[in-house]
Amino acid sequence: MPDTDITNRMKEDWNERAREDASYYVAFGRKQQTAEEFFATAEEVVRGLRWELQRLPASRRGRALEIGCGPGRLIRPMSQDFGSIDGIDVSDEMIARARANLTDVPNARVEAGDGATLKPFPDADYDFVYSYAVFQHIPSKNVVLDYLREASRVLKPGGILRAQFSGLPERDVTDTWSGVRFTSQELVSFTREHGFQVLAIEGANTQYMWMTWRKRSKDWRSSL
């Protein structure tokens, strides 16, 4: 079960940030950005996600899921690459903004979540799961690892998970902005224990450490 003290704090803090200036807190740009400015900040991240899509054949690009979708900055362009795309966010305020931003994107759907699980979504239903600038703000390693376990649950065998973490040195004080930090070794150990194959590690020891995994089939150990 999620730690409700932590997830409630996450919800409250991100709802407040969304009400104050959602674009600023999501994209780290100037305050009071125009919609065009805000969505333009997605371009570099989307290029990286699309590069990883080369690991999936075209026939395996039916459904995608974004963890921590915010107001829909990445879902909007990524919707062009999949038959359908879903998003989840702990903040009700962010989800309200995402729905407004995605009214003309019929294959996109977003849901408010509990801050640690992917309960609205079924097992083995997605080809691609991704997350950017989300786990670096979560103030609990256990909550981040809950999300990774859930990503494994909702991915189809052979599906791809692409996620960004902070790989900076750990520090004692964490909040819903600074969040927790991981070493690449910690994440490699976790994913080996949970049926993932590590495909790529980029930016280790930096704030923007990216990792890519493939979900293995249930019987992969017996084939070793």
Side-chain angles (χ1 to χ4, degrees):
M1 293 291 293
D3 185 326
T4 54
D5 288 341
I6 292 174
T7 55
N8 286 341
R9 178 155 49 100
M10 289 163 54
K11 182 184 292 289
E12 290 170 4
D13 289 355
W14 281 99
N15 277 342
E16 182 177 344
R17 290 170 186 141
R19 286 189 290 266
E20 180 184 337
D21 192 334
S23 298
Y24 171 72
Y25 284 106
V26 169
F28 315 141
R30 71 176 183 86
K31 292 191 174 182
Q32 303 303 319
Q33 298 170 59
T34 66
E36 290 76 15
E37 287 176 306
F38 175 64
F39 283 105
T41 65
E43 291 177 3
E44 183 177 351
V45 180
V46 170
R47 278 197 299 270
L49 293 171
R50 285 175 172 160
W51 177 262
E52 292 302 311
L53 280 180
Q54 296 177 90
R55 301 180 188 275
L56 284 173
S59 61
R60 288 293 310 270
R61 299 180 193 177
R63 287 177 59 72
L65 171 64
E66 180 177 352
I67 299 172
C69 65
R73 177 175 65 140
L74 301 180
I75 282 186
R76 188 174 183 86
M78 291 299 292
S79 68
Q80 301 168 26
D81 297 274
F82 297 93
S84 65
I85 187 166
D86 293 333
I88 191 168
D89 201 283
V90 68
S91 167
D92 308 296
E93 296 283 347
M94 289 290 186
I95 289 297
R97 286 158 178 77
R99 287 175 176 154
N101 287 331
L102 299 170
T103 54
D104 60 341
V105 184
N107 63 329
R109 178 176 63 108
V110 294
E111 299 284 347
D114 60 17
T117 74
L118 304 175
K119 284 182 179 178
F121 309 116
D123 297 355
D125 200 43
Y126 292 92
D127 301 292
F128 191 70
V129 176
Y130 67 92
S131 183
Y132 171 66
V134 175
F135 298 152
Q136 69 179 27
H137 296 304
I138 293 177
S140 163
K141 286 190 175 182
N142 286 335
V143 170
V144 176
L145 296 178
D146 282 343
Y147 267 133
L148 295 182
R149 293 185 189 96
E150 283 285 87
S152 177
R153 177 183 67 79
V154 302
L155 273 170
K156 298 175 183 176
I160 298 294
L161 170 62
R162 173 78 166 168
Q164 177 262 327
F165 307 84
S166 175
L168 293 172
E170 283 198 76
R171 62 181 190 175
D172 293 334
V173 179
T174 57
D175 53 45
T176 65
W177 183 255
S178 301
V180 293
R181 298 163 180 192
F182 286 89
T183 65
S184 57
Q185 291 83 358
E186 285 179 293
L187 293 169
V188 167
S189 295
F190 175 85
T191 53
R192 282 177 177 163
E193 294 167 3
H194 290 82
F196 282 114
Q197 175 190 9
V198 178
L199 300 177
I201 304 172
E202 301 150 35
N205 306 317
T206 73
Q207 183 177 349
Y208 295 97
M209 176 171 64
W210 282 95
M211 297 192 72
T212 305
W213 301 273
R214 176 177 284 115
K215 180 180 175 179
R216 298 181 189 266
S217 61
K218 288 184 179 180
D219 59 351
W220 72 274
R221 292 184 185 277
S222 64
S223 65
L224 295 177

